[in-house]
Amino acid sequence: MLVQLAVGGELPADARDELQQLAEAAGATVVGFLGGSRVSPDPKYFIGTGKADELKALVAAGEAELAIVDHALSPAQERNLERLLECRVVDRSGLILDIFAQRARSFEGKLQVELAQLRHLSTRLVRGWTHLERQKGGIGLRGPGETQLETDRRLLGKRIAVLRERLARIEVQRGQGRRARERHEVPTVALVGYTNVGKSTLFNRLTDAGVLQADQLFATLDPTLRRLQLPGGQDAVLADTVGFISQLPHELVAAFRATLEETRSADLLLHVVDANPLERARHIRDVETVLAEIGADEVPRIMVYNKIDALPEPPGGPAPRLDRDASGRVERVWISAVTGAGLDLLTAAIAERLQTGSIRQRLLLGPEDGALRAWLFRNATIEHDCPTELGGWEMEVSMPQARWCRVQGASDRMSCRIRAIAEPAHTAEPAHTADPAEPRAADLVR
């Protein structure tokens, strides 16, 4: 039985279809639906007493064994609904976690899902454990002891610590691979987007990887990296990442942080969007929210509007095209991953935005720019590094053009302070004379 309320506003047009697809992706058979609206959530049942009684009647009539609520429930609300309905109740976070648990295939993916599930479960250990209490009153029975709930929390904490340690080792290995690619100046392109927009289909079209592609939510969880050959003989690494969704559980974002690091460290993002305009704006907004949460909102990107073959007008969909912004930079590409239409435009746009040639820059950093210097050591080749009399550093670095452009685009927060250090005002002997055509340290941020 599916439950979905509009709380404090209106639901998106495709919200009900998305909930049903999530339930079917988890292996459930939908027997009924309960909708409605509320100004604010009810503290006891979330859906209110009247709706809870209506839901109880629907569950009994449909002989439902599970109620799926398309909202985040507190442990108390979940427990109260289970007692009233006399069946299992799962909220949106629990449903998505269950889908991830079924789809995880790699060792890393299974560890990440288990960690997310244990974090979610740690807030829900209060149900049904009081009958296992080992602390009792009475003569000869008082004394130190441990309740079953305390035992579970202790065992849960130990298992979470083990999983974090294993994932930390995997994250170190991933970091070594990224640094090796950076040393060889191989740019990384990451596919991001809402779930079921065709990322895996596009990935297979571009790389012949043969990863699983299906018309269902979260068909692919484990990240895959393959070589991408671009026009002009350029090479790049293409990464297929997990799809995003609205109200993505925070436990998943935290557990998949090592995997999502591939997105944050990429030189270019291909934001794949379903070209159907019905809920396109909402999907873009949800993806941008997750990207900002993981710190990837400043990475350059190209919007890839996929599935143009499914658009009704004109018949067969519009022709593939490439849109540019006011400065002439590629901004959007319209393609169809199923038919292959427009893939040549996409690869040409990727090659144009990457510009994989290496450039060399001479920079003057002040004593407050230690974090910036550390970033340069991680992401660039240091040709020359010499301390200055003022406590800063004079550096000569080389890095791919795409990485330099990425740094330039992220310079707003610190540019004034660095410019004041790099260009001392009214000094008889400037510490550094920059070539007019040379980018300054003011263009760097991290």
Side-chain angles (χ1 to χ4, degrees), residues 251-313:
E251 296 91 349
L252 276 178
V253 176
F256 277 72
R257 189 165 296 277
T259 300
L260 296 175
E261 182 70 21
E262 296 290 346
T263 301
R264 189 169 61 179
S265 63
D267 296 291
L268 179 66
L269 296 183
L270 299 183
H271 184 170
V272 185
V273 183
D274 192 333
N276 190 334
L278 180 62
E279 290 297 331
R280 189 167 64 197
R282 180 177 68 88
H283 291 176
I284 293 175
R285 184 173 61 252
D286 292 335
V287 172
E288 295 291 341
T289 300
V290 178
L291 290 177
E293 188 174 350
I294 65 176
D297 52 332
E298 295 175 344
V299 181
R301 68 200 64 184
I302 297 176
M303 303 295 295
V304 181
Y305 288 84
N306 190 24
K307 302 184 181 181
I308 60 174
D309 57 300
L311 295 180
E313 295 179 1

Side-chain angles (χ1 to χ4, degrees), residues 22 92-100 218 245 247-249 252:
L22 282 172
R92 183 181 179 90
S93 298
L95 177 62
I96 295 177
L97 287 172
D98 186 82
I99 297 174
F100 272 58
F218 300 116
I245 197 170
Q247 303 177 45
L248 190 66
L252 276 178

Side-chain angles (χ1 to χ4, degrees), residues 96-341:
I96 295 177
L97 287 172
D98 186 82
I99 297 174
F100 272 58
Q102 295 181 39
R103 303 284 169 80
R105 293 292 179 267
S106 67
F107 176 71
E108 179 185 5
K110 292 178 180 179
L111 289 180
Q112 291 168 331
V113 172
E114 183 181 356
L115 177 60
Q117 286 181 316
L118 291 181
R119 284 175 171 170
H120 185 71
L121 180 63
S122 63
T123 62
R124 287 160 166 77
L125 289 178
V126 295
R127 297 180 293 177
W129 291 106
T130 55
H131 65 286
L132 295 175
E133 175 76 54
R134 292 213 300 261
Q135 291 179 347
K136 298 181 179 180
I139 299 174
L141 296 178
R142 296 183 180 90
E146 187 177 49
T147 66
Q148 184 65 42
L149 181 60
E150 291 169 343
T151 302
D152 290 339
R153 285 175 176 167
R154 176 170 50 81
L155 296 177
L156 206 63
K158 287 184 177 180
R159 181 60 181 169
I160 288 176
V162 171
L163 293 176
R164 284 175 173 170
E165 182 181 353
R166 292 181 179 178
L167 287 173
R169 291 199 295 266
I170 295 177
E171 186 174 0
V172 171
Q173 295 172 358
R174 284 190 174 276
Q176 292 173 344
R178 283 192 297 269
R179 285 191 293 272
R181 293 195 300 270
E182 291 168 356
R183 284 194 299 268
H184 291 83
E185 298 182 352
V186 179
T188 302
V189 182
L191 293 171
V192 298
Y194 210 79
T195 181
N196 201 29
V197 294
K199 296 188 301 299
S200 296
T201 304
L202 178 60
F203 186 78
N204 288 334
R205 276 281 185 178
L206 293 175
T207 63
D208 296 325
V211 300
L212 174 66
Q213 58 185 56
D215 187 15
Q216 60 184 9
L217 302 183
F218 300 116
T220 304
L221 293 185
D222 301 317
T224 308
L225 282 76
R226 291 291 186 273
R227 176 186 175 185
L228 173 64
Q229 189 166 5
L230 299 173
Q234 303 176 4
D235 285 336
V237 173
L238 185 64
D240 185 18
T241 60
V242 62
F244 301 149
I245 197 170
S246 60
Q247 303 177 45
L248 190 66
H250 292 288
E251 296 91 349
L252 276 178
V253 176
F256 277 72
R257 189 165 296 277
T259 300
L260 296 175
E261 182 70 21
E262 296 290 346
T263 301
R264 189 169 61 179
S265 63
D267 296 291
L268 179 66
L269 296 183
L270 299 183
H271 184 170
V272 185
V273 183
D274 192 333
N276 190 334
L278 180 62
E279 290 297 331
R280 189 167 64 197
R282 180 177 68 88
H283 291 176
I284 293 175
R285 184 173 61 252
D286 292 335
V287 172
E288 295 291 341
T289 300
V290 178
L291 290 177
E293 188 174 350
I294 65 176
D297 52 332
E298 295 175 344
V299 181
R301 68 200 64 184
I302 297 176
M303 303 295 295
V304 181
Y305 288 84
N306 190 24
K307 302 184 181 181
I308 60 174
D309 57 300
L311 295 180
E313 295 179 1
R321 71 176 189 269
L322 187 148
D323 299 337
R324 297 180 180 272
D325 58 14
S327 61
R329 187 174 56 179
V330 177
E331 188 175 30
R332 291 180 297 271
V333 183
W334 299 73
I335 68 164
S336 172
V338 172
T339 64

Side-chain angles (χ1 to χ4, degrees), residues 27-38:
T29 302
V30 179
V31 297
F33 179 85
L34 175 65
S37 62
R38 283 187 64 87

